[in-house]
Amino acid sequence: MSKFGTFSEYPRPSLVSAEAALLTAWRSLERYHDDLVLVGGLAVHYLTKRNGGGLPGAVTMDVDFGVTLGASGGQYGTIKSDLAGLGFVAEDNRLVRKFGDIPVYLDFLTEDPPSLTGTRIVDDVVASVIPGVNRALASRRLVTVRGRDLYGAEQECKVSVTNIGPLLVLKLNAFGGPTGRRHPKDAYDVLLAVSAFVDGPEAAVKAFRAEAKTENSGFESAVATLRKDFMAVDRDGPIRAAEFVREFVSDAARLRQDVVTVAKYLLGE
């Protein structure tokens, strides 16, 4: 289990642990950098302002990488062997390593049109098939990440993080798309990614709408998720987002309305 129903259930050091795993893995996977992009909760963290909009920020125990289907280390080893040397072991199609008492997970996502679901072997790791990953790989920004790795050493890395438009598509589909899990955290991440975006909410909305003019295979299902799950305060998106941070907000009804407002802006309504 690496996704909890509420923010407060996450161990206090979980975000630091995930960042340590990222700093450890990113340095080791240097020859794959052109084939990798950070997505998921850590991407939300790096693309948002701290305490933006009065929200408690991002939280995660995972490092999610989008990876090109044809990624290969050639004669110089594999993704799994490189990470095994750092203590990551395979567990239920994921790679995991303990950081103190906290397990931190590395997950790989890829795209193999026209498939919408399933898994593929990329290099030698199992990657989940997710629409929109190719667009996430094509639209990225370099973010400087500083911190301690899993060994306690200070690191500074420039990490490829997907841009906000493709990230919102992935997050919406994670909630209600073909492989949607309807987890409260994914609904909350949509709210946070827009309202606390480092370049401002208007820029996040503009970037999402611009995905309509790209070859983002996940965009239509992301729009469908907004219409089905986010357009009224009694829909799953607003209800579950408010539930995720219930101990941090004094007015859950207002937060649910904020989620609806964000959805309407994303749709241009």
Side-chain angles (χ1 to χ4, degrees):
M1 174 69 178
S2 62
K3 194 178 290 289
F4 296 97
T6 65
F7 191 105
S8 60
E9 289 179 271
Y10 282 79
R12 188 174 296 273
S14 58
L15 187 66
V16 172
S17 301
E19 186 169 75
L22 170 66
L23 289 167
T24 305
W26 190 255
R27 296 297 292 267
S28 180
L29 297 176
E30 184 171 358
R31 68 182 180 280
Y32 293 95
H33 283 183
D34 289 343
D35 296 300
L36 292 173
V37 67
L38 185 69
V39 296
L42 270 184
V44 174
H45 175 62
Y46 295 131
L47 294 184
T48 53
K49 301 173 183 176
R50 304 293 85 85
N51 299 316
L55 299 171
V59 67
T60 188
M61 294 175 67
D62 308 332
V63 181
D64 296 317
F65 287 124
V67 59
T68 59
L69 188 61
S72 173
Q75 62 181 323
Y76 299 105
T78 65
I79 293 174
K80 184 183 288 186
S81 64
D82 286 356
L83 295 174
L86 301 173
F88 288 94
V89 298
E91 179 182 291
D92 296 330
N93 293 336
R94 315 176 76 188
L95 297 178
V96 62
R97 186 190 192 281
K98 282 289 190 72
F99 183 69
D101 294 329
I102 298 177
V104 287
Y105 298 88
L106 301 185
D107 292 314
F108 292 86
L109 317 176
T110 195
E111 187 168 352
D112 187 15
S115 300
L116 299 179
T117 61
T119 60
R120 299 291 183 272
I121 300 298
V122 176
D123 206 20
D124 64 346
V125 294
V126 177
S128 299
V129 173
I130 303 292
V133 169
N134 285 346
R135 176 61 184 155
L137 284 155
S139 178
R140 57 175 99 184
R141 62 170 69 187
L142 285 177
V143 173
T144 300
V145 179
R146 301 180 182 88
R148 294 187 182 274
D149 64 18
L150 292 173
Y151 298 96
E154 288 283 352
Q155 301 286 355
E156 178 177 316
C157 298
K158 289 191 178 299
V159 177
S160 293
V161 180
T162 192
N163 274 314
I164 192 68
L167 180 60
L168 284 167
V169 169
L170 290 173
K171 273 293 172 182
L172 284 163
N173 283 324
F175 183 80
T179 57
R181 304 162 297 191
R182 311 196 82 75
H183 283 311
K185 179 182 178 299
D186 292 318
Y188 167 75
D189 278 348
V190 172
L191 172 65
L192 178 65
V194 174
S195 60
F197 181 48
V198 289
D199 297 333
E202 296 83 1
V205 169
K206 182 178 179 180
F208 176 79
R209 293 181 189 172
E211 290 301 298
K213 299 179 180 180
T214 71
E215 296 182 358
N216 192 328
S217 61
F219 183 73
E220 288 187 7
S221 56
V223 168
T225 295
L226 282 170
R227 294 195 182 283
K228 179 179 65 176
D229 296 320
F230 285 82
M231 294 300 285
V233 294
D234 60 351
R235 301 282 179 86
D236 273 356
I239 289 174
R240 298 188 190 205
E243 171 65 14
F244 187 71
V245 289
R246 65 174 185 262
E247 296 180 11
F248 296 87
V249 295
S250 57
D251 191 344
R254 179 176 177 179
L255 189 141
R256 290 196 299 270
Q257 185 58 58
D258 287 345
V259 175
V260 174
T261 299
V262 162
K264 290 182 176 180
Y265 276 128
L266 289 173
L267 290 172
E269 298 180 1

